[in-house]
Amino acid sequence: MPAYKDDNAKGNAWFYTINLKVNGKYVQKRIRGFKTKKLAEAAMVEHKNDMNKGTYIQPSKTLFSEFMSDYLNDKQTTVKKQTLGIYSSLVNNHILPKLGSIELQQLTPRNIQDLYNDLSSAGSLCDENIQKVHSLINEALKKALAWDMVSKNVASLVARPTATKKKMVVWEDEEMRIFLKEAKSSRFYPAYYLALVSGMRQSEILGLTWKDVDFVGNRVSITQTLSHDGKEFNDGAKTDSGSRAVSIDSATMAVLKELKKFRVEEKVAAGPQLYQENSLVVCTAIGTPVNPRNLLRSFEAIVAKCNPVEDGKEIQIRVKKIRFHDLRHTHATMLLKQGVNVKIVSERLGHASVKITLDTYSHVLPSMQKDTAEEFGKLFYKSEDVG
C-alpha cells in the first residue's frame, strides 16, 4: 500500500489507500490530505499498526470547533460561572479562530504548536493565559481520547508553554501611608483600606456584606464575591479554600463600625424608593454594587495624585504604580517580613496550599533567611559554652 499523489488536487495532494472492514466486508478507502509522500507513508504505517493492535478509530468528521462547543457546555456542571466565562473567552477568541475549522481527528501537534507561537508573537495573551490555552486543549483532547473520538491526544506531544515570572511590585510602609491619606476622601477608601489590612481580593471586598462582619469576634467571613462585570454575586469564593474567616485588627473594626453608621445615614438620605438594600460594606450611594472598573479607575487616579507633576511629567515618584491586586500582595509581603508563619499567611489569603504562598512570595524568602540567620547567631553566641 504505497502513497500516491493526486495531480488534480490543489494542496496536500498525497494520500494512501487501506482496506477497512465495514459491515463484515472489506472496502478500500483513500486517506487524503498529506503535504508530502513521506508524511502520507508515515501515517499509513501508523494506521496499519493501530489496526493490528485493535486501537484504530474510524476518522470522525466532527470539527474541533463543534467538539469544543460541547466541551464548554459540559463544563457548566463542573466549574463556576465566572471560570466558565474565562474558558469560553479563551476558546472562542483565541483557540477556535486558528484551530476551529480542522477536523478533530486531523488535528496535529504542529497545528497546536503554531497556535502557541502565534499567540506569543501577537502578544494578545500573557504567558499565564497561553498556559491556560494549553491546559484547555490538552484536557479537551484527553476527553476525546477517553470517548474514542481520537486515536491519541496530540496536545500531550506539545510542550506546555513556559511563563516568565514577572517581578512582583509592592508598596513600602511610607507609600501605603501616603496613598491612604490621599484616598481618605474617596468613596472607595474602605475598599483600599480593607485590601491592605486583610489581603482580600477585589471581588471578595466588593461582595462583602454586613452579616459577614463579626464585630464581636473581630473578623470577616468570605461568603460571596462580585463578578468581574459587577452584575452578579457568586456564592463562595474564587476557590473552595477562599471561603474563609479573616481576623481583623481592632482599629480596622472601629473604622468598619463608623462606616456602618454612615451607610445607614446614606440609606435614609436616598429614601426607600431609590435605595437598593444589598447590605454591602462597599457600595454606591444608593446601595448598589460598585462597578469594578470604576474602582480601578479611581485607584489609578489616586496613585497619580500622590506623585507631583510639573509640565505634565512626574517629578517625584512617592508611590509606585501598582495594580489593585498588588494591595493583596503588599499585605502578604508585610506579614512575611514581620515573621508571621507562612501557613497562617496562606490561610489568611485563602490559598489552596502553602506551596502556592511560597511560590508566589519567594522574593521575600531570601531576606527572611538572612534575618533568621542573624537572630540565630545572636542567640547561639550568647551561650557561655561557645567560643
Side-chain angles (χ1 to χ4, degrees):
M1 294 184 290
Y4 304 93
K5 186 177 182 181
D6 184 350
D7 293 326
N8 295 320
K10 293 182 179 180
N12 296 335
W14 288 91
F15 67 94
Y16 65 87
T17 60
I18 197 164
N19 293 325
L20 297 176
K21 197 171 186 179
V22 179
N23 298 325
K25 295 181 179 180
Y26 281 98
V27 296
Q28 191 175 75
K29 186 173 180 63
R30 291 184 177 184
I31 309 298
R32 298 177 176 273
F34 300 95
K35 191 174 183 179
T36 66
K37 181 179 181 180
K38 188 175 181 179
L39 288 174
E41 289 175 340
M44 179 178 64
V45 170
E46 183 177 3
H47 191 155
K48 289 174 65 178
N49 288 338
D50 287 341
M51 290 180 66
N52 291 334
K53 290 186 292 185
T55 58
Y56 175 71
I57 296 173
Q58 184 71 19
S60 169
K61 294 294 183 181
T62 302
L63 295 179
F64 188 61
S65 59
E66 296 169 343
F67 178 75
M68 290 305 292
S69 176
D70 290 339
Y71 169 80
L72 289 174
N73 192 45
D74 295 343
K75 272 290 180 185
Q76 293 183 72
T77 62
T78 59
V79 300
K80 294 182 179 180
K81 187 174 182 180
Q82 190 166 308
T83 302
L84 181 63
I86 295 171
Y87 289 173
S88 298
S89 176
L90 290 173
V91 169
N92 295 321
N93 298 328
H94 301 284
I95 298 176
L96 295 187
K98 179 80 174 179
L99 305 180
S101 61
I102 301 174
E103 290 180 7
L104 183 60
Q105 198 151 322
Q106 295 300 318
L107 199 63
T108 67
R110 183 73 263 168
N111 297 141
I112 296 172
Q113 184 63 62
D114 285 344
L115 169 66
Y116 300 163
N117 294 346
D118 289 350
L119 291 176
S120 181
S121 299
S124 55
L125 287 178
C126 65
D127 292 346
E128 290 79 4
N129 278 334
I130 296 178
Q131 287 183 329
K132 287 180 183 176
V133 165
H134 172 76
S135 297
L136 285 168
I137 295 174
N138 188 42
E139 184 184 57
L141 292 180
K142 191 182 292 184
K143 182 176 183 177
L145 178 62
W147 285 9
D148 287 339
M149 297 181 72
V150 294
S151 58
K152 62 184 175 185
N153 173 9
V154 293
S156 66
L157 305 176
V158 182
R160 184 172 185 259
T162 58
T164 303
K165 195 169 185 178
K166 296 176 182 176
K167 184 179 179 181
M168 186 180 294
V169 182
V170 298
W171 282 343
E172 301 296 333
D173 294 356
E174 183 62 19
E175 290 176 293
M176 286 188 288
R177 281 191 283 271
I178 293 172
F179 172 81
L180 288 176
K181 183 178 180 180
E182 189 67 47
K184 189 73 175 177
S185 60
S186 170
R187 173 162 199 91
F188 304 134
Y189 176 78
Y192 309 138
Y193 192 91
L194 278 173
L196 283 168
V197 302
S198 71
M200 292 166 62
R201 299 178 178 91
Q202 173 193 281
S203 59
E204 296 169 347
I205 293 171
L206 297 183
L208 188 67
T209 64
W210 289 113
K211 68 179 178 60
D212 299 322
V213 180
D214 181 358
F215 287 104
V216 177
N218 280 13
R219 61 188 177 190
V220 298
S221 298
I222 313 301
T223 62
Q224 70 172 11
T225 58
L226 183 67
S227 61
H228 289 306
D229 58 10
K231 294 181 179 180
E232 62 182 359
F233 295 105
N234 300 304
D235 291 336
K238 182 181 177 182
T239 61
D240 291 338
S241 55
S243 298
R244 64 200 186 281
V246 180
S247 294
I248 303 295
D249 64 275
S250 56
T252 299
M253 294 306 294
V255 171
L256 290 175
K257 283 182 181 179
E258 290 302 312
L259 179 63
K260 189 174 184 181
K261 292 177 184 177
F262 180 67
R263 291 287 182 253
V264 173
E265 293 171 4
E266 281 192 324
K267 181 179 178 179
V268 172
Q273 293 193 350
L274 182 60
Y275 196 86
Q276 296 183 29
E277 183 55 79
N278 290 298
S279 192
L280 294 169
V281 174
V282 178
C283 60
T284 66
I286 57 171
T288 56
V290 170
N291 187 304
R293 289 185 179 274
N294 293 338
L295 178 70
L296 298 182
R297 277 194 288 264
S298 173
F299 174 71
E300 291 168 358
I302 294 170
V303 171
K305 282 184 181 179
C306 293
N307 300 314
V309 176
E310 190 175 284
D311 296 330
K313 295 182 180 180
E314 291 179 337
I315 58 175
Q316 182 185 1
I317 305 298
R318 298 195 303 160
V319 176
K320 294 188 293 289
K321 291 181 180 178
I322 64 174
R323 305 168 303 164
F324 185 94
H325 191 74
D326 292 324
L327 299 179
R328 171 177 165 87
H329 293 322
T330 296
H331 174 78
T333 301
M334 284 178 61
L335 293 180
L336 290 170
K337 283 184 175 179
Q338 290 170 7
V340 176
N341 187 292
V342 68
K343 187 175 188 302
I344 301 298
V345 176
S346 183
E347 291 172 352
R348 190 171 178 82
L349 296 176
H351 284 165
S353 69
V354 173
K355 183 180 182 301
I356 294 174
T357 312
L358 289 170
D359 289 345
T360 304
Y361 301 103
S362 57
H363 66 288
V364 185
L365 299 181
S367 62
M368 289 176 64
Q369 288 272 21
K370 183 178 178 181
D371 292 342
T372 301
E374 290 295 334
E375 289 301 317
F376 175 79
K378 290 175 185 177
L379 290 172
F380 186 72
Y381 288 107
K382 275 183 180 180
S383 171
E384 295 180 357
D385 298 330
V386 178

